Every structure is written in structure tokens, then in C-alpha cells.
Amino acid sequence: MFRTLRRALCAAALLLPLLAGAPAAQGAEAEVQAEAGAGYWHTSGRQILDAAGQPVRIAGINWFGFETSNHVVHGLWSRDYKSMIDQMRSLGYNTLRIPFSDDILKSGTVPDSIDFSGGKNADLQGLTSLQVLDRIVAYAGQDGLKVVLDRHRPDSGGQSALWYTAAVPESTWIANLRALATRYLGQDTVIGIDLHNEPHDPACWGCGDTALDWRLAAQRAGNAVLAVNPELLVFVEGVQTVGGVSGWWGGNLMGVAQYPVQLDVANRVVYSAHDYATSVAQQSWFSDPSFPANMPGIWDKYWGYIFKQNIAPVWVGEFGTTLASTVDQRWLAALVEYLRPTATYGSDSFHWTFWSWNPNSGDTGGILKDDWQTVDTVKDGYLASVKAPGFPAGGGGGGGGGGGSAAACTAAYTVSSDWGGGFNAEVKVTNSGSTALSSWKVSWTWSGAQQVTNMWNASYTQSGATVTAVNAAHNGAVAVGGSASLGFGGAPGGGGVPSVTCTAT
């Protein structure tokens, strides 16, 4: 109904009384949080906790393509997959949601549209789609990102309302979910599986019809997954219509109040909502005279109550917009505030993965621009307050430490746009030493009267023409050879490119 345009556009190339929120996180908690995330995770009330019982926040990005006829994440026709993951990490995204279709589990399915020239993606040559997924999971883990696997479609042909089709029956769906849970058993980079993307009409919640009741199907599939790996989180999306009230596909979790998902293993359910703006489809609430002040009530009604009543964690697995209209801009600002800024609430917050990393999502665009390299700093900037620390690196190789060598870094200053009255720029910090960085600081001096007007992914001070910027909580740790970035707006334009010094610890 709402999403005939979105998903694989590039084949080749919805009131219950609410409890008051928990108290804000204190500074000491935030310090502990920076080290949180190791091992497998579980739930406790509305929070997700790591293996040591420390709260974590999923603050991530969707990278799609495995669910399409390319059978692999998109953009590898342009860049090396490692550089993509490094860039995600440098921007402060700590989790990857990777959509896939059951096609990639068919024997012999191989990816296409991967560029191997100039040494790009060299270690992916000759691999099946599943083997490429293995490499992406492994490298993401090395970079300190977690992964949620999203069963997006039964096949690459298109989205389905139900979790099964004539060609891909429920038995195949469950068998494939079990196969993936088995494949990544013991690899705690993969912290859970999103059972099926965007169930919608005629899917129901709590109607009792086993052919249509998504809640019952999620229990069957979730128990099958947990029978293989009881440590995984089970992410369960909503439906479209509950009690005659309709919303976004997968975005209506009103039924949870009466019919919660009950699994054989406790503390494993995370409910997932999707929410979009007018660039995807018009909804009645966008034209309400009180918009956007009406939106928190809408979100409370459809899915926010689950978090606010301490029933379970809530993950907004998809939300996005082109930001082309003022309505969309106001919607995104309101939603980000509703999700609870990390600086105020820490990990006692909603979880999220933005749609999408890819620029080739036709009704939302992406964090990357069409060149698959340049960051849309405006869109990324909207998300700055809800980003969260990354997680301890895992897996073999990469990361690097040692030898007692001094930490070192270099910094590169790039102007991305300059319109005379102002400009946008980025500073990329690279770990040039032989030991991992825990923090960094950069400084530069302009030759003119330029002033920073706003900055993201770092905090700053300016004295005269000299600017000093210090990493944010989420991007201070940089592995050997890795990088992190800050972005900012300034005025006036025409300031040129000053030299930048970088100090590492």
C-alpha cells in the first residue's frame, strides 16, 4: 500500500496510559557505557543489556542489497566493502541491519555488480553470496559494529505481505532462519535476527488464524531460531492494521498490549517499528494542524507505549526521508527528539537503524550521496544526538595494538560546499600509528574571519581564528589504520583549506 517504490530500485547497478520515563543517565554511566557491548545481548524490561549486564544502545544504519537480484549489498560496484564499513563507523553508526532474501540461501547463489579493479573487494572474488556475508559480518565485528540480519523478502522479486508465499512456504522461511542462526553460532557480532520485514494486510496480530496471525508466526520462528542459538535477540516487527487502525507497514505494534510475543527463552524479544515521512507516503497526521506536536502521541499509540510501560525494548528498524520538504524535515527532527538523545538518557532509549546507507533508495535517498562516497552531512547531522558509542572489536585480525608504540594520527580538511555566505567542511582523522586510539583532538587556524556555526561528531572551542575540536563519545576509539570524521558548517565562505594538527591518546 505504501511502499511500491522503495526497496531494490537498482537491480543492476500507528491510548494506553503511559508510565513516566526512567531518570536520565548520569555521567558515570555514560563512561561505563563507552565500554559496553561485549558478547551476546539480552533484554531487561525496556533495555538491552550486554553479556556483562551493561546497557547498550543500537544506533545504526541499513545497508541493503542482499535482498535484491544483485544478491549482495549495493555499492560494491563503486567501493571496497571495508572502506564502507570503516566510514559507517567513523560517522558513529554502531550497528548494521542487513536485509536479505531467502534466495541467498539457495545453493550456488553468487553476487554480481562487484568491482574488483584496483584491488577493491579482492577477498570477495569467487565467493557465494553467503560467503560474502560472512566477510562483511567478520569485518564489521573487527570494526566494533554489531549486525542484525533482516529477512526482508522471501525472494528477490519483491516484498510480501505475509512471511510466506506459494514459492517460499513457512517451512522454508523457518529452515533458512535456523540455518543462519547456526551459521553464525558463536559469532557474537550477529546479535539477532529480524524475522520478517514489514508484515502488512492481510497479516493480523492476535486474530488467532495461523495463516495470517503474524504474532503466532513470530513465536514459531523465534523459538526455532532460539533452539539453535538461545543467545540471539529476536526482532519482531509490527503489522499494518490492528483493531481497524492502520499505519505504516510493519509499524503497528498496538496488538502487543494484549498479545505479547512469548518465546521459550526469556528476555530475547525486541519489538521493531518502521516509520516514514511524506517522501514515502502521505499520512493523515502530517496534515494535522498541530503537526509536528501531534507526533509523539501518534508514536506512543502505535509503538512507543511498549518502551514507556517498560514492556520490552523498541527498535525503530527503519525510518528515512529525502528531507526534500519542510514537513519531512520537521518530522525527522521530532522523531529524533522522541527517540531520546543519548547525552541525556544514555542507553535508556529507543534503538534505531536509519534507512538507509544506500543513496539508491528512491523515496528516501541515503546517508551517502549518489557517488557512494560523499556524506549527506545535513541528513547525517539530524541523527547526531541519538548516535551512541561503538562496541568492543571482535573477530580475528584488524584493530591492532601493541608494542607500546606511541599513538599517532593525521587529519585531512576538506570543503564539501562553499556558497560564499557560508560553507560545509569535514575533517577526517586517520590512525597513523601502531596502537589503537582512545581519543583524538584536532586544531586549525583560519587566515580569515571564519567562525564555526555548528559541528557534528565532535565538540569544539574557537578562540579568534583557531578552532580546537575533540572527538564525540562514539568516535574517539580508532583502530590502527582506521579513521573517524567530524563535520561542521561555517561562515563566511572562501576560507580555503588550513593545515590541521592532530593529537592522539
Side-chain angles (χ1 to χ4, degrees):
M1 175 177 179
F2 294 117
R3 311 261 289 291
T4 58
L5 297 178
R6 187 162 55 83
R7 294 297 178 260
L9 299 165
C10 189
L14 152 18
L15 281 176
L16 298 171
L18 305 178
L19 296 183
Q26 302 300 310
E29 178 186 346
E31 292 177 10
V32 171
Q33 188 180 44
E35 298 299 321
Y40 282 110
W41 299 351
H42 61 282
T43 70
S44 178
R46 68 192 194 182
Q47 292 194 327
I48 298 177
L49 308 180
D50 70 5
Q54 297 185 92
V56 295
R57 184 177 201 181
I58 295 172
I61 195 80
N62 284 272
W63 188 11
F64 69 79
F66 274 108
E67 83 283 17
T68 75
S69 59
N70 297 98
H71 303 122
V72 71
V73 286
H74 286 173
L76 301 191
W77 54 69
S78 177
R79 293 178 60 186
D80 184 88
Y81 76 98
K82 294 180 180 179
S83 74
M84 293 262 224
I85 295 171
D86 287 344
Q87 189 178 25
M88 294 172 193
R89 182 185 182 281
S90 76
L91 291 170
Y93 299 104
N94 65 20
T95 303
L96 264 175
R97 179 177 183 259
I98 302 180
F100 68 90
S101 83
D102 291 69
D103 284 351
I104 71 166
L105 287 102
K106 293 179 179 178
S107 178
T109 299
V110 296
D112 62 19
S113 301
I114 299 180
D115 181 12
F116 300 111
S117 67
K120 291 193 293 290
N121 302 301
D123 61 334
L124 304 184
Q125 293 196 66
L127 302 186
T128 66
S129 292
L130 275 179
Q131 290 170 333
V132 173
L133 180 59
D134 292 342
R135 296 293 175 93
I136 289 172
V137 167
Y139 193 78
Q142 288 179 213
D143 254 11
L145 277 71
K146 295 290 191 177
V147 171
V148 177
L149 300 175
D150 157 46
R151 194 277 194 153
H152 211 73
R153 301 169 166 176
D155 58 59
S156 62
Q159 185 61 37
S160 63
L162 301 174
W163 53 98
Y164 63 91
T165 62
V168 184
E170 178 176 307
S171 58
T172 299
W173 170 56
I174 290 179
N176 286 340
L177 292 175
R178 286 174 57 93
L180 285 171
T182 301
R183 188 178 190 91
Y184 297 110
L185 183 65
Q187 297 184 51
D188 56 31
T189 294
V190 178
I191 48 93
I193 299 178
D194 187 343
L195 297 178
H196 178 63
N197 185 67
E198 296 186 348
H200 54 277
D201 295 348
C204 62
W205 190 292
C207 67
D209 183 340
T210 55
L212 299 177
D213 193 328
W214 167 235
R215 176 252 190 176
L216 295 179
Q219 291 182 166
R220 295 191 294 271
N223 284 329
V225 165
L226 294 172
V228 174
N229 185 351
E231 304 292 341
L232 291 175
L233 295 175
V234 174
F235 295 86
V236 182
E237 299 189 26
V239 292
Q240 179 184 353
T241 304
V242 176
V245 180
S246 294
W248 297 110
W249 290 2
N252 190 334
L253 285 158
M254 295 171 63
V256 171
Q258 185 175 0
Y259 301 105
V261 171
Q262 298 176 318
L263 300 177
D264 294 339
V265 181
N267 303 318
R268 290 294 178 270
V269 177
V270 178
Y271 292 103
S272 176
H274 290 184
D275 202 88
Y276 279 98
T278 60
S279 61
V280 172
Q282 182 61 249
Q283 297 275 21
S284 60
W285 44 81
F286 295 127
S287 56
D288 188 302
S290 66
F291 176 85
N294 63 320
M295 293 310 302
I298 297 292
W299 295 320
D300 284 348
K301 178 181 179 180
Y302 281 100
W303 44 268
Y305 76 94
I306 297 172
F307 173 85
K308 293 187 175 183
Q309 294 186 14
N310 201 37
I311 296 170
V314 175
W315 172 52
V316 184
E318 292 184 19
F319 63 108
T321 168
T322 61
L323 286 180
S325 72
T326 300
V327 169
D328 283 27
Q329 296 162 15
R330 297 172 73 192
W331 165 84
L332 184 54
L335 179 55
V336 166
E337 181 64 25
Y338 183 84
L339 295 179
R340 298 165 63 102
T342 303
T344 304
Y345 298 100
S347 293
D348 185 29
S349 304
F350 292 93
H351 305 273
W352 58 272
T353 44
F354 189 74
W355 187 278
S356 61
W357 180 248
N358 309 48
N360 61 320
S361 176
D363 50 7
T364 66
I367 291 298
L368 292 186
K369 296 187 177 182
D370 288 343
D371 63 0
W372 283 95
Q373 179 77 45
T374 306
V375 175
D376 184 331
T377 56
V378 174
K379 188 177 290 188
D380 182 64
Y382 272 87
L383 305 173
S385 68
V386 289
K387 289 180 181 178
F391 309 114
S405 300
C409 61
T410 60
Y413 182 114
T414 305
V415 177
S416 56
S417 59
D418 191 326
W419 56 95
F423 67 99
N424 287 322
E426 177 187 67
V427 175
K428 180 179 180 179
V429 173
T430 300
N431 185 343
S432 57
S434 58
T435 187
L437 307 184
S438 59
S439 63
W440 47 263
K441 176 176 64 177
V442 294
S443 182
W444 66 89
T445 300
W446 281 306
S447 59
Q450 283 71 33
Q451 295 284 317
V452 175
T453 55
N454 63 314
M455 183 176 289
W456 48 95
N457 295 327
S459 58
Y460 76 96
T461 57
Q462 181 168 355
S463 178
T466 300
V467 179
T468 301
V470 178
N471 63 270
H474 65 256
N475 65 353
V478 184
V480 174
S483 60
S485 297
L486 66 88
F488 64 93
V497 179
S499 60
V500 184
T501 61
C502 187
T503 304
T505 59

